[in-house]
Amino acid sequence: MRQISRRKAIKGAALVGVAALGFPRWTWSAGEEGGEVIPWSDIPEGFNPSPDTGGRSLDTRTLQKSSFITPTDEFFAVQHYGPTQVDPATYKLRITGLINKPLELTLDEVKRRPRVEQIVGFECSGNNPARLNTLAGNARWAGTSLNALLKEVGLKPTAREVVFFAADKGTEEITHGGSPSQKYEQTFGRSLALEDATKPDLMLAWEMNGAPILASHGAPIRLVNPGWYGIANVKWLNHIHVQDTRFMGRFMARDYVTMMERKVGDESVWEETSVSRMQLKSMVARLTRNGSRYAITGFVLNDGTPLRSVEVRVDDGQWQPATVDKSATQFSWKLFTYEWSGLTPGDHTIVSRATDANGVQPEAAALQTKTTRWENNGQFVRKFKV
C-alpha cells in the first residue's frame, strides 16, 4: 500500500483517465486490433449476469471493454438491505469499544489522515460458473490506513475482535426463542480478528478509480480488505467497534457460512466456516481470432499468496503455460493470455487452472462435497464453436 502526499494525490486523480488508457498492448481488446471476438456457446439464452445487483457486473461474455482496471460502472455491486444513501455533510465515523481514545470523525476529518492508495481486486463470495463468474472486478482505491487509525485510538490489551458496522439496515426475525413473529432491526456488520484487522494493507477508502466512491459502492467510506471476498469489504462504513469476544451477527455466523464435507481418517466430518479470504480462482473470459490464430484472456484472483503459474487446456489436450501480466500487484487480479492455432471446425472447450504457493485450483468435481454456494473456485470449462 502506497502512501502519497495530498498534492500528488490531487494531480494523480486528474490524470487517472489518461493513465487508464496506458495498459500493456496485450490487454487490449482484440477487436481494436482487427481480431474477431468469438462468442461463448455456454451463455444461457436471456442471461442476466447479476439479476440481484441491478445488472451491474463485469460482462465476461466478451470482455471487449475490460482492462486491468475495471471501469466503475462495470464493477459488481451487491447490497443486503436495499439501496443506501448517506449524506456526506452529516456523515460520522464512530470508533468505540476496547480503545483508549474513542473517536467520532466527520468525513473531512477522516480525509485529513495520511492518504494511501492501492489496486485491489475481489469477487463476490457467491460468484460461480452459473453466473459465468461475472461478479468480480479490479479497481484503484484511495483512502487512509485502518491500522494507523487503530493505533491512533490505542487498542487495549484485552482487544480481540474488530467489528465493522454499516449504515444499511433491515428487519430480521428471531429464530430461536421468543415469539415466532418477533422481529428486530439489524445493521449490516462483519468482523475481523485483531490480527487480520491490523494488517497494513486494510484501508478506509473514499475514492474508486480516481473519483469519489459512488453510493452503490459504499459512499462515502467503505472498508477495503485486500485478499478477502467482497462481503468483507464493508460498504457505507460508519462504526468500528473493538471487543474481546467473537462477533456473531447474521453475516458472520448464520449467512455467508460455507459447509463442506471432509474426510478425517475413515470418517466424514462437516465443517462450517465463515467466508473470509478468497480461494484461488482463474477463468478464461475472452476469446478472439485473427486469421488462424486464437487468443484468450482471463483473470486470476486469490488472497495475495504469490502466484506460481497459470495453465490452459484446449479440448482434451495437454496443459500449456499462459503468460501472466507482470504489471499485476499482490492484491490486484492477474490477467493472463494464451495463443494457439490449428483448431478444426466444430465444438471446442477451453479451461484454465492457477497454481499459487498454497496449491492448485481444484477441478469442479472436487467441490461436490461443498453444499453451500459460497467460495466456488472450481475450474470453469468454457465452450465455443468455430
Side-chain angles (χ1 to χ4, degrees):
M1 183 163 57
R2 184 163 60 97
Q3 183 169 318
I4 60 177
S5 70
R6 181 172 295 274
R7 185 173 184 178
K8 288 182 178 180
I10 294 173
K11 181 178 180 182
L15 295 176
V16 73
V18 176
L21 300 177
F23 302 118
R25 187 175 183 85
W26 71 272
T27 66
W28 294 3
S29 164
E32 295 173 307
E33 298 183 338
E36 173 193 2
V37 175
I38 304 298
W40 300 111
S41 58
D42 55 12
I43 311 296
E45 186 175 352
F47 172 72
N48 179 358
S50 51
D52 54 354
T53 62
R56 177 179 282 112
S57 71
L58 182 68
D59 187 349
T60 55
R61 285 173 284 188
T62 62
L63 280 187
Q64 285 179 278
K65 295 189 295 181
S66 78
S67 56
F68 181 61
I69 298 295
T70 306
T72 300
D73 63 354
E74 294 181 23
F75 201 108
F76 80 96
V78 175
Q79 57 202 24
H80 297 88
Y81 287 130
T84 300
Q85 296 277 345
V86 178
D87 184 359
T90 59
Y91 172 82
K92 296 289 180 64
L93 173 65
R94 291 188 299 138
I95 307 176
T96 62
L98 297 175
I99 57 177
N100 298 320
K101 181 186 174 184
L103 281 182
E104 184 173 275
L105 303 172
T106 66
L107 181 58
D108 286 341
E109 287 171 334
V110 176
K111 288 184 174 182
R112 291 192 195 118
R113 267 67 185 171
R115 176 188 171 101
V116 295
E117 66 176 49
Q118 59 182 327
I119 297 173
V120 176
F122 53 84
E123 65 172 340
C124 175
S125 57
N127 211 18
N128 57 64
R131 292 180 179 269
L132 304 184
N133 286 323
T134 53
L135 301 182
N138 189 58
R140 187 186 304 274
W141 307 92
T144 196
S145 165
L146 171 65
N147 185 40
L149 194 57
L150 292 176
K151 287 182 178 179
E152 180 181 337
V153 298
L155 298 171
K156 292 189 174 182
T158 52
R160 295 291 182 269
E161 189 102 336
V162 182
V163 188
F164 303 90
F165 292 105
D168 55 327
K169 60 184 65 176
T171 300
E172 301 284 354
E173 292 188 1
I174 295 178
T175 57
H176 296 83
S179 169
S181 60
Q182 191 174 357
K183 297 182 179 181
Y184 65 103
E185 188 175 71
Q186 174 73 60
T187 58
F188 180 87
R190 285 278 303 188
S191 69
L192 292 170
L194 192 64
E195 179 183 0
D196 294 318
T198 53
K199 290 186 183 299
D201 302 297
L202 279 73
M203 61 191 296
L204 307 184
W206 57 76
E207 282 186 12
M208 179 181 183
N209 292 339
I213 290 179
L214 300 177
S216 58
H217 289 294
I221 287 180
R222 76 176 295 169
L223 177 68
V224 173
N225 186 2
W228 290 55
Y229 284 106
I231 187 67
N233 292 256
V234 178
K235 300 192 291 185
W236 308 295
L237 179 66
N238 65 3
H239 185 192
I240 299 173
H241 183 75
V242 182
Q243 57 191 50
D244 60 358
T245 57
R246 292 289 307 276
F247 173 68
M248 301 292 285
R250 169 188 164 184
F251 300 103
M252 290 294 296
R254 302 189 299 279
D255 203 352
Y256 289 89
V257 173
T258 294
M259 292 185 62
M260 189 167 187
E261 184 182 18
R262 298 187 187 278
K263 286 289 187 180
V264 179
D266 295 332
E267 297 183 0
S268 292
V269 177
W270 284 93
E271 291 185 350
E272 295 181 73
T273 56
S274 185
V275 169
S276 57
R277 296 173 182 85
M278 285 189 292
Q279 302 293 313
L280 175 65
K281 171 186 280 186
S282 72
M283 190 192 81
V284 176
R286 183 178 69 213
L287 171 65
T288 59
R289 176 173 59 195
N290 200 327
S292 62
R293 297 287 297 173
Y294 292 83
I296 58 94
T297 300
F299 66 83
V300 177
L301 283 168
N302 74 346
D303 63 357
T305 298
L307 186 66
R308 289 182 173 173
S309 67
V310 182
E311 300 168 289
V312 173
R313 183 169 66 187
V314 180
D315 297 327
D316 294 322
Q318 298 294 313
W319 288 102
Q320 301 294 333
T323 301
V324 180
D325 177 14
K326 297 185 185 305
S327 67
T329 61
Q330 180 183 4
F331 295 113
S332 74
W333 65 9
K334 286 76 173 168
L335 298 182
F336 64 89
T337 58
Y338 174 71
E339 296 186 12
W340 80 106
S341 60
L343 283 179
T344 58
D347 295 320
H348 296 275
T349 62
I350 188 167
V351 64
S352 65
R353 71 178 181 188
T355 301
D356 66 15
N358 293 328
V360 183
Q361 179 185 0
E363 295 183 3
L367 301 178
Q368 290 180 352
T369 59
K370 187 168 69 66
T371 62
T372 49
R373 63 177 176 171
W374 313 119
E375 302 178 290
N376 186 325
N377 67 323
Q379 297 172 20
F380 182 19
V381 178
R382 306 305 308 268
K383 299 177 182 180
F384 63 98
K385 179 179 292 188
V386 298

